[in-house]
Amino acid sequence: MRPFSLPKARCSSHGLIGALALIAVAGIAGQPVSAARATVDLTAFSLEELMQMEVYSASKFGQKASEAPSAVTVITADDIKTRGYRTLADVLRGLPGVYVNYDRNYSYVGVRGFGRSGDYNDRLLFLIDGQRINENIYDAVAVGGDFILDVDLIDRIEFLPAGPATAIYGNNALFGVISITSKRGRNIGGVEISSAVATARTTQARATFGRGVNDDIDLLLSVSAYDSSGKNLYFPEFNDPPVSDGMAVGLDDETAHRAFGKLSYRDWTLEWIHSNRGKGIPTASFGQDFNDPRSRTEDRQTLINLGYRAAWTPHVNVQGHLFYGAYEYRGHYIYADGDFAEAAIGRWGSGDLQWASTALDRHKIAFGGEYQHDWKRDQTSADETGALIFESRIRGNRWGLYLLDEFALNAKTDLGVGLRYDRAATGEGRLNPRLSLVRRQDEQTILKFLYSTGFRAPNSYERDYAGLSYLPNLGLESEKIKTYELILEKSLEKNIQFVASLYHYEIKDLIDLTTAGDSGQLIFRNLGDVKADGLVLEASRRWSDGRRLQASYSWQLAEDDAGRWLDNSPRHLAKLNWTQPLWGDSWRANVELHYISQRRSTQGNTVDGVLLTHLNLLGQPFGKNLDVALGVYNLFDQEYADPAGDEHLQAQIPQDGRTWRLKLDYRF
């Protein structure tokens, strides 16, 4: 199949201007825009009130955060704006116990001391509006500039770490669930235009129209574009005069285009999401020729989701989805012999249905199932002449059933029991249990004990791929996890909240990328077992004048079955976030500190730890219709790096120094 091409158009391209005009016309043609916005400002709530907020991801039905069988972290649209988050990766970096690697092409999320370079985030399950979005070849979700949804369109994110999620969500929820809820048209209430300029000749633009019509109809339409020339990067491993001075010049470029449509009518919601993204590869990964501008990757994804959610009776809720997904990847890898091209094309459809009931006294029962059929899981690799050197064309399906009962033993204690059975695309069947005990000791103290098991089946990339220095491994087995967790939630005062989580997990038959003997080729293998112990401490305080403090500290010790420190596993993570109103409430300053301790790379060296400081100023100096945000990231210009995977010659990949972004959001 002929590779598709991504336009190198800037944000001022004719296509985007036309879309801006259409959305503006739609806004003018609609009803007058109300000055009041439908978005709820959570900064006005006390911590005690926030603990009563309804969360959904922990048990697949709504319940108070304090009663959920997990330590659920919620990030709101207001948090994203106040903190100046640019991508989903930025959001995830701010979560307790989470860290993100960037290899100058893709971003990889680590959780609780476990982060494998090159796993494409297939050990986390990502949802948008309740629907799974992991694609069907790599089981991947891109979280950087290539994430399918513009972060400005996110209403809230629930992060459910490893534990009970693994039992009721099935494959890919090994280390947790990231559940994203998109905004509705009434959150916009008219037309919103956004533009930004940033370091490295970066430009960004977005146009959004949204409106709610009475309580029945809601519409949101949005398009956005991103373009960056990137920075020139120095890699000492390629400093070989006179052949090369180690500088990758003009190869860190990135372009992305996104579109989103969401129409809700009563109990039904129809969504369409599309993105395409092109990225230069400055690192010469997989043994490529260094500093060749033809080296790049291209990703395109389209998702269509029809959702239904309704209360059939006062005690029975039913919800379901019908879903279509399409994913395409193209890679151009440059060697002395020419351009070696590879491709992956995925097409799949899925459906799920859940019934939840509180009809039985003291019981909350949820029963559901899901099915996915893969029409395409195609992977190909071609030489410089275009002749195929590897081809894999596979179809398949997977399905799962689950049952969950959360039972009130008495007024203070809830017991949760759940079971899920999965039939993976490989044909393997797995049954996984979940147990939870939630004890409300008093009005200020809650104890939670959690136990669950889960699994992740090898994906098509890990089993079948045999191009570009890889060997296939059809004998790969699923990796399994067992998790224990004890959680203490304590309200010290009305506006002070403390959370402590103590956990232990064990992974059997870990799937990992390694080198095959002396050949230098790469292969995925079941490399043995992993054990980890960890502690997460969180503290939050809010003041009535809008000041807000959040801090977390994570200690984790993850080792393989020989007692060796796991690669890319920091022992310590510390994060602090402070929001300060300035000059009344017209401006807000946000300071965020991230500390990550040293990590070991796959090549045996140690990557130094680093403390990063980010600053964001957000205000309305020209009236309530215009938001102005200035963000400075890595404020003190720290030099630091992330560990590299086996596909790189480098042992570590340098990260950005000080960068900035100026962003304007105008509503009319």
Side-chain angles (χ1 to χ4, degrees), residues 47 135 158 160 163 194 221 325 366 369 388 390 411 420 434 464 481 509 528 541-542 604 627 631 639 668:
L47 282 170
E135 46 80 19
E158 294 181 18
L160 184 67
S194 174
L221 299 171
L388 289 177
F390 161 71
R420 176 171 175 127
R434 152 183 167 168
D464 307 315
I481 190 170
D509 300 320
R541 179 167 184 178
R542 292 169 179 256
D627 292 338
E639 292 187 9
F668 58 94

Side-chain angles (χ1 to χ4, degrees), residues 32-49:
V33 179
S34 171
R37 301 286 164 180
T39 302
V40 177
D41 181 7
L42 295 179
T43 60
F45 290 83
S46 68
L47 282 170
E48 183 179 10
E49 292 168 322

Side-chain angles (χ1 to χ4, degrees), residues 131-132 134-137 321-327 345-352 370-377 394-400 423-425 460:
Q131 175 59 48
R132 167 195 173 99
N134 297 62
E135 46 80 19
N136 70 335
I137 296 175
H321 301 89
L322 291 175
F323 184 81
Y324 170 79
Y327 173 73
I345 300 175
R347 301 285 188 271
W348 69 99
S350 66
D352 65 78
E370 59 188 57
Y371 174 82
Q372 177 175 311
H373 179 71
D374 296 333
W375 291 296
K376 279 189 177 183
R377 293 204 306 260
I394 299 174
R395 295 186 177 187
N397 58 73
R398 63 171 188 85
W399 56 271
R423 186 77 171 180
S460 290

Side-chain angles (χ1 to χ4, degrees), residues 275-292:
S275 70
N276 58 44
R277 178 251 199 178
K279 180 69 178 68
I281 307 176
T283 58
S285 55
F286 301 101
Q288 295 179 78
D289 289 350
F290 180 69
N291 204 20
D292 193 310

Side-chain angles (χ1 to χ4, degrees), residues 40-93:
V40 177
D41 181 7
L42 295 179
T43 60
F45 290 83
S46 68
L47 282 170
E48 183 179 10
E49 292 168 322
L50 289 174
M51 290 304 295
Q52 305 307 310
M53 178 190 300
E54 186 174 78
V55 296
Y56 171 78
S57 58
S59 299
K60 287 198 173 186
F61 51 70
Q63 57 191 158
K64 295 178 182 178
S66 58
E67 297 175 353
S70 182
V72 181
T73 301
V74 178
I75 301 294
T76 67
D78 186 72
D79 294 329
I80 293 172
K81 177 176 285 191
T82 300
R83 300 174 186 182
Y85 291 149
R86 300 158 293 180
T87 65
L88 180 60
D90 283 349
V91 178
L92 300 180
R93 285 187 180 96

